[in-house]
């Protein structure tokens, strides 16, 4: 890994994805860092190349053609950049490619240290293959057999608050030691210890003969306090070491990057944490990256990050999504009649050919319906995992091809249907998928992501007001008065069960005054007397979503489809 250069100007980000490899270029323009261009080619970590280098080479060639800049010389990347403008000054590399990491977690109490260890494991692309705590009723030899059969890539040990239990932690370490003795040397897992620091030396002495033991601060220093951030940093580095075995060429590129390669989910979470630190709202920032195999969901408030990666997505990730959902939970969002067999067949075929794109209006509707269900599943699981109701967000930042490669109105409607936020929410789209790259760049150049975020690289879809009312469909629940900076006004009647796109142009500032006519909760995070909001129009203007929470669809199929079409037309979709 090369040393970060304080004088560096240009930065190249390489992202190795499950389907595509992307190259993103950032550089100074008139003294400000800007996103200049991107390329995308098929990834080559699998057959027939089994090496990421070919995909990176093709991505750089495409970027050269698109930007008229020279990055390659004799098929090699020019780094650092030269005085004639060739090459780049800094390189970062992130990845989502590769199988889910097999992680076994061991802790003491199921709802304390074991819970924190499971959250840590879920913050990267992983499969939880085994969990053992004090309440595990299996015999000692059965626990050993279970861990051996699980074949974990990583064993994560937690347990014991600071100045707390040591004897029970010692028993867990003895169990792991026995498992490692019975594991072939070429299949020994990585070991990470995130428990009572008083046991650090004991753990290291007992397990280091099987390999390096990564020791991180206690993830549960007290029963009430959970601290995952330091362990997440170490986990990202550990994942990269394991990925070096799965992704040919990764280790070679790591020698020329300005920061260690990292999982995209980790750098995505870093950006959501940053947004929460500059956000003045009392609400959490929500970030969603809807990928082909995985969906990353991150919430953060005042720098405290809650990060989860789910094996749900719009490609291979459709298989677990279908297994965890009733088909009706997807088809209920279809605005036209499509037989269930056709929907099921199309989605299963998509798992086999994740790079395919919808060719008809019907198949596009199927994918967007599936996206709604995946968003709902991910947020529901995230709430349960972190025991957080998470209803109000400001802002919501989203990325992913399914969300970016369609009309802004369709994107916003998918997000409203899938996430169903309450109160006042600003939706921001990352159309070029820059967030993980910016999170990686922050480690090299802290100013670059700040200035790129302030540029026009992100799209403000609009501010949405989602009041809550228990009135029947069609009941007038409030009046909305829009006061423009010019002094002009417009008035609108808001009825329960409807969507309204208010006439506020992109970039236009206005103030919305709401006058409830019935019992209405306008925003649970604001004072109940707050009925006036300053908004800036987005691509979709400003929207009032008066459909209630959770959204109830008519039981009759014909009425339901008519309702979906009406909502789409309300947003101009």
């Amino acid at each position: 890994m090369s040393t970060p250069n304080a004088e560096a100007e240009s930065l190249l980000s390489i992202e190795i994805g499950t389907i595509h490899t992307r190259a993103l270029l950032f550089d100074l323009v008139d003294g400000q860092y800007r996103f200049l261009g991107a390329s995308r080619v098929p990834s080559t970590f699998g057959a027939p190349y089994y090496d990421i280098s070919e995909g990176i080479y093709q991505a750089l060639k495409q970027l050269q053609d698109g930007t008229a800049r020279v990055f390659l010389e004799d098929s090699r990347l020019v780094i650092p950049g030269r005085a004639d403008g060739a090459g780049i000054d800094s390189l970062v590399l992130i990845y989502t490619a590769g199988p889910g990491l097999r992680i076994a977690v061991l802790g003491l109490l199921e709802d304390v240290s074991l819970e924190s260890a499971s959250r840590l494991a879920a913050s990267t692309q992983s499969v939880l293959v085994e969990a053992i705590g004090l309440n595990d009723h299996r015999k000692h030899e059965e626990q050993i057999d279970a861990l051996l059969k699980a074949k974990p890539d990583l064993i994560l040990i937690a347990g014991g608050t600071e100045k707390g239990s040591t004897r029970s932690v010692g028993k867990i370490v003895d169990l792991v030691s026995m498992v490692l003795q019975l594991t072939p040397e070429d299949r020994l897992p990585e070991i990470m210890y995130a428990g009572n620091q008083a046991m650090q030396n004991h753990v290291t002495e007992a397990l280091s003969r099987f390999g390096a033991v990564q020791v991180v601060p206690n993830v549960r220093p007290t029963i009430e306090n959970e601290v995952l951030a330091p362990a997440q940093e170490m986990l990202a580095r550990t994942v990269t070491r394991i990925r070096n075995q799965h992704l040919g060429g990764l280790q070679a590129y790591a020698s020329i990057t300005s920061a260690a390669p990292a999982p995209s989910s980790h750098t995505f979470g870093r950006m959501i944490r940053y947004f929460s630190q500059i956000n003045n709202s009392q609400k959490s920032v929500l970030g969603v990256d809807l990928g082909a195999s995985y969906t990353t969901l991150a919430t953060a408030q005042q720098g405290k990050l809650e990060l989860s990666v789910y094996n749900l997505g719009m490609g291979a990730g459709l298989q677990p999504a279908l297994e965890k959902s009733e088909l009706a939970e997807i088809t209920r969002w279809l605005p036209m009649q499509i037989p269930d067999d056709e929907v099921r067949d199309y989605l299963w075929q998509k798992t086999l050919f994740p790079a395919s794109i919808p060719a008809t209006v019907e198949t596009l509707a199927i994918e967007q319906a599936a996206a709604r269900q995946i968003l709902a599943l991910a947020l529901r699981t995230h709430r349960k995992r972190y025991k957080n109701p998470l209803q109000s967000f400001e802002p919501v930042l989203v990325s992913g091809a399914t969300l970016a490669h369609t009309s802004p109105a369709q994107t916003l409607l998918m997000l409203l249907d899938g996430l169903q936020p309450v109160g006042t929410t600003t939706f921001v789209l990352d159309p070029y998928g820059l967030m993980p790259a910016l999170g990686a760049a922050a480690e090299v150049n802290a100013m670059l992501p700040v200035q790129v975020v302030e540029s026009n690289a992100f799209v403000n879809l609009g501010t949405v007001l989602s009041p809550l009312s228990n009135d029947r469909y069609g009941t007038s629940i409030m009046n909305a008065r829009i006061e423009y900076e010019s002094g002009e006004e417009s008035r609108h009647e808001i009825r329960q069960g409807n969507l309204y796109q208010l006439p506020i142009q992109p970039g236009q500032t206005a103030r919305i005054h709401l006058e409830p006519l019935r019992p209405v909760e306008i925003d649970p995070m604001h004072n109940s007397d707050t009925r006036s909001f300053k908004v800036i129009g987005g691509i979709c203007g400003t929207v009032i979503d008066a459909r209630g929470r959770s959204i109830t669809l008519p039981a009759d199929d014909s009425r339901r489809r008519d309702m979906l079409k009406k909502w789409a037309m309300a947003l101009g979709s």
Side-chain angles (χ1 to χ4, degrees):
M1 184 178 72
S2 63
T3 304
N5 181 4
E7 302 299 323
E9 295 182 355
S10 60
L11 182 140
L12 180 71
S13 171
I14 300 293
E15 181 174 5
I16 312 299
T18 305
I19 300 174
H20 294 110
T21 291
R22 300 196 308 147
L24 307 173
L25 177 64
F26 304 89
D27 207 344
L28 284 172
V29 177
D30 297 329
Q32 299 287 311
Y33 284 102
R34 293 292 182 261
F35 166 59
L36 298 186
S39 62
R40 187 180 72 171
V41 300
S43 290
T44 58
F45 69 92
Y49 297 99
Y50 295 105
D51 195 298
I52 65 173
S53 303
E54 178 63 22
I56 293 175
Y57 173 72
Q58 295 298 335
L60 292 176
K61 278 186 63 178
Q62 190 181 102
L63 189 62
Q64 277 190 163
D65 296 339
T67 60
R69 294 177 60 158
V70 176
F71 302 109
L72 296 167
E73 193 171 80
D74 297 328
S75 300
R76 297 173 66 88
L77 178 64
V78 178
I79 182 171
R82 297 198 304 244
D84 62 1
I88 49 98
D89 298 315
S90 300
L91 173 69
V92 294
L93 191 149
I94 52 181
Y95 56 84
T96 58
L101 209 65
R102 299 176 63 83
I103 300 181
V105 297
L106 293 90
L108 301 187
L109 298 179
E110 185 176 341
D111 58 350
V112 185
S113 59
L114 198 59
E115 182 179 68
S116 294
S118 297
R119 287 174 182 159
L120 175 60
S123 67
T124 193
Q125 294 169 201
S126 64
V127 179
L128 189 62
V129 293
E130 189 57 67
I132 296 176
L134 288 182
N135 296 330
D136 193 304
H137 298 299
R138 290 174 291 185
K139 296 178 181 178
H140 187 71
E141 57 269 25
E142 291 176 334
Q143 293 176 350
I144 293 174
D145 285 343
L147 285 170
L148 289 171
K149 290 177 181 177
K151 299 178 181 178
D153 299 307
L154 169 66
I155 293 179
L156 177 57
I157 305 171
T161 57
E162 292 305 291
K163 301 180 181 179
S165 174
T166 58
R167 184 177 178 183
S168 297
V169 175
K171 290 182 178 180
I172 290 176
V173 174
D174 292 342
L175 172 65
V176 173
S177 178
M178 183 66 70
V179 170
L180 296 179
Q181 290 179 50
L182 298 172
T183 302
E185 188 174 346
D186 61 341
R187 285 165 48 187
L188 284 171
E190 294 269 349
I191 305 295
M192 182 183 295
Y193 178 67
N196 185 347
Q197 297 299 283
M199 291 292 290
Q200 174 180 331
N201 291 336
H202 173 76
V203 173
T204 303
E205 290 172 4
L207 304 180
S208 59
R209 60 195 174 104
F210 302 105
V213 178
Q214 309 300 326
V215 178
V216 296
N218 197 341
V219 293
R220 205 65 178 253
T222 66
I223 291 179
E224 300 81 12
N225 189 28
E226 180 179 79
V227 181
L228 297 181
Q232 286 172 336
E233 291 290 337
M234 179 60 76
L235 179 61
R237 293 195 286 272
T238 302
V239 171
T240 297
R241 280 199 304 277
I242 297 172
R243 281 286 179 261
N244 284 332
Q245 304 167 25
H246 300 153
L247 302 178
L250 178 60
Q251 199 161 6
Y253 268 91
S255 65
I256 61 171
T257 56
S258 304
S264 296
S265 57
H266 180 68
T267 57
F268 180 84
R270 186 180 290 164
M271 285 303 296
I272 297 302
R273 181 189 290 117
Y274 163 72
F275 277 109
S276 77
Q277 291 169 332
I278 63 173
N279 186 29
N280 294 324
S281 173
Q282 297 177 334
K283 304 177 183 179
S284 294
V285 176
L286 170 64
V288 180
D289 184 14
L290 179 60
S293 298
Y294 298 93
T295 293
T296 301
L297 197 148
T299 53
Q301 188 171 21
Q302 297 178 348
K304 182 175 174 57
L305 176 69
E306 296 175 343
L307 175 66
S308 295
V309 182
Y310 302 97
N311 63 336
L312 307 168
M314 296 305 299
L318 279 170
Q319 178 175 342
L322 288 167
E323 292 170 350
K324 295 175 182 178
S325 307
E326 297 291 337
L327 189 65
E329 293 179 291
I330 296 174
T331 57
R332 69 191 186 118
W333 295 110
L334 293 174
M336 72 280 289
Q337 172 62 36
I338 305 176
D340 285 357
D341 287 346
E342 289 186 22
V343 175
R344 188 182 293 106
D345 289 348
Y346 177 80
L347 292 174
W348 280 109
Q349 187 177 37
K350 181 76 174 181
T351 67
L352 300 175
F353 304 98
S356 63
I357 58 175
T360 66
V361 173
E362 289 77 15
T363 53
L364 177 63
I366 292 172
E367 289 201 14
Q368 292 185 349
R372 287 168 164 87
Q373 176 61 9
I374 288 172
L375 291 171
L377 270 176
L379 184 56
R380 189 187 313 148
T381 308
H382 192 77
R383 285 171 174 154
K384 183 178 179 181
R385 174 170 290 152
Y386 284 95
K387 300 178 181 178
N388 191 334
L390 289 171
Q391 292 182 308
S392 297
F393 312 101
E394 181 59 29
V396 174
L397 300 113
V398 299
S399 61
T402 302
L403 299 173
H405 299 163
T406 188
S407 72
Q410 289 179 331
T411 298
L412 183 58
L413 196 51
M414 277 189 279
L415 295 171
L416 288 175
D417 294 342
L419 301 176
Q420 299 192 25
V422 301
T424 309
T425 311
T426 303
F427 287 87
V428 179
L429 175 66
D430 175 11
Y432 307 107
L434 303 183
M435 292 273 282
L438 293 177
E443 194 170 346
V444 178
N445 185 332
M447 189 57 66
L448 187 150
V450 175
Q451 294 182 352
V452 172
V453 165
E454 293 173 348
S455 71
N456 60 357
F458 291 75
V459 176
N460 177 12
L461 293 174
T463 298
V464 179
L465 284 72
S466 305
L468 298 179
S469 171
N470 294 322
D471 281 296
R472 291 191 305 172
Y473 176 82
T475 303
S476 293
I477 58 172
M478 62 184 181
N479 291 323
R481 177 170 61 89
I482 305 174
E483 182 182 345
Y484 300 99
E485 287 186 317
S486 63
E488 297 179 349
E489 293 185 352
S490 66
R491 297 174 183 271
H492 307 267
E493 181 186 17
I494 307 301
R495 293 180 178 272
Q496 178 72 5
N498 291 288
L499 277 172
Y500 298 87
Q501 186 177 42
L502 303 181
I504 301 175
Q505 298 301 312
Q508 184 180 22
T509 301
R511 183 166 287 277
I512 299 176
H513 304 277
L514 302 178
E515 179 191 353
L517 304 175
R518 305 281 295 172
V520 174
E521 185 176 29
I522 295 175
D523 192 328
M525 298 299 291
H526 282 88
N527 188 294
S528 59
D529 295 330
T530 303
R531 298 174 181 175
S532 180
F533 301 89
K534 183 179 179 180
V535 298
I536 299 175
I539 296 295
C540 299
T542 296
V543 174
I544 294 181
D545 183 353
R547 297 177 296 171
R549 297 292 184 263
S550 59
I551 296 173
T552 302
L553 296 172
D556 179 75
D557 288 344
S558 179
R559 286 187 58 221
R560 175 181 52 79
R561 289 192 287 269
D562 288 343
M563 183 77 76
L564 293 173
K565 291 174 184 176
K566 179 181 178 181
W567 290 340
M569 289 178 61
L571 294 187
S573 174

